[in-house]
Amino acid sequence: MAMCQVCRRTLLAGERYRTWRWSRRDQTVCVVCEPAARDAGAVRVVDAFERVRVDGLTPNVRRVA
């Protein structure tokens, strides 16, 4: 599970995010909060977007229909 470190919201499956660095730590930031991270002095670590994956949840999900 991934969480945006600015708005503290859990990211949904397939949602895009980038990794930013501030306070000597890499932080996950959602697309909506990127301007706030930039204003706070964070530096973008990766230029490309990443997506939340749900591969690890597949064995635990049961179909009900």
Side-chain angles (χ1 to χ4, degrees), residues 17-54:
Y17 67 91
R18 285 186 180 153
T19 303
W20 290 71
R21 179 172 292 148
W22 72 86
S23 301
R24 291 186 265 169
R25 295 180 63 193
D26 290 348
Q27 306 285 342
T28 301
V29 178
C30 69
V31 177
V32 176
C33 293
E34 282 189 349
R38 188 178 317 111
D39 293 342
V43 177
R44 190 168 57 204
V45 176
V46 180
D47 284 335
F49 285 108
E50 299 177 57
R51 291 188 182 269
V52 177
R53 291 179 181 78
V54 293

